[in-house]
């Protein structure tokens, strides 16, 4: 059902202009778009393969790309998707990791709620979410 709503929203003409505005408003300069396929995990356990517009970070004047600058999946950024998972899954994983004393216990608690992930994935999502929140806090 959620994937059907995404498909309907992607067909709206206002969505294309919002995507272009997102590309222009990015903190880091981006190259022009190309199609890229990626795996996105939803909270209910559904894994969806999506072909999305992707902008890689632009190269500097020296001709070398900035390795710290992230690329951007423009269409998924409109819905708040990041780190190859939905915002709801990201929230659940990062909250559980913050509440538990170890990532191993966070994995066990998530499995009790029928969210099956390995420790490396939980750690990646939690640390990327934490660094993003820290950047937002510093900005504000």
């Amino acid at each position: 059902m959620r994937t059907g709503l995404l498909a309907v929203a992607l067909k709206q003409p206002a969505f294309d202009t919002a995507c272009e505005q997102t590309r222009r408003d990015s903190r880091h300069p981006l190259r022009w778009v190309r199609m890229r396929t990626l795996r996105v995990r939803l909270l209910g356990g559904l894994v969806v393969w999506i072909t999305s517009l992707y902008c890689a970070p632009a190269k500097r004047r020296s001709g070398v790309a900035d390795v710290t600058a992230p690329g951007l999946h423009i269409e998924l950024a409109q819905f708040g998707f990041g780190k190859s998972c939905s915002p709801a899954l990201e929230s659940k994983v990062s909250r559980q990791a913050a509440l538990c004393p170890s990532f191993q216990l966070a994995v066990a608690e998530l499995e009790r709620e029928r969210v099956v992930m390995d420790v490396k994935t939980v750690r990646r999502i939690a640390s990327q979410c934490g660094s993003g929140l820290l950047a937002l806090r510093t900005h504000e």
Side-chain angles (χ1 to χ4, degrees):
M1 175 152 178
R2 289 183 180 108
T3 54
L5 292 173
L6 287 174
V8 169
L10 288 170
K11 292 181 182 178
Q12 302 298 323
F15 186 76
D16 293 334
T17 58
C19 287
E20 181 59 29
Q21 188 66 33
T22 300
R23 188 184 72 79
R24 276 190 257 125
D25 292 344
S26 175
R27 285 187 286 172
H28 303 285
L30 299 171
R31 291 189 213 168
W32 194 244
V33 297
R34 65 184 175 103
M35 298 303 282
R36 190 178 207 190
T37 303
L38 74 147
R39 185 185 79 168
V40 176
R41 203 174 203 174
L42 302 177
L43 180 60
L46 181 67
V47 176
V48 183
W49 288 91
I50 296 176
T51 301
S52 173
L53 297 175
Y54 176 74
C55 291
K59 293 183 180 178
R60 295 187 210 157
R61 292 181 186 204
S62 63
V64 179
D66 185 7
V67 293
T68 60
L72 180 66
H73 289 276
I74 296 176
E75 296 162 334
L76 294 179
Q78 296 297 315
F79 297 109
F81 281 68
K83 304 160 199 69
S84 297
C85 61
S86 70
L89 180 63
E90 179 184 324
S91 174
K92 184 174 224 40
V93 169
S94 56
R95 285 176 191 262
Q96 198 61 253
L99 291 172
C100 293
S102 71
F103 288 118
Q104 199 70 331
L105 287 173
V107 168
E109 286 297 316
L110 288 168
E111 284 178 355
R112 278 186 29 188
E113 297 175 14
R114 294 188 177 101
V115 178
V116 180
M117 294 181 151
D118 61 348
V119 176
K120 289 172 74 173
T121 305
V122 170
R123 180 183 169 100
R124 177 185 56 81
I125 291 172
S127 62
Q128 287 177 343
C129 185
S131 63
L133 288 172
L134 183 61
L136 177 66
R137 185 176 181 185
T138 304
H139 175 72
E140 289 185 355

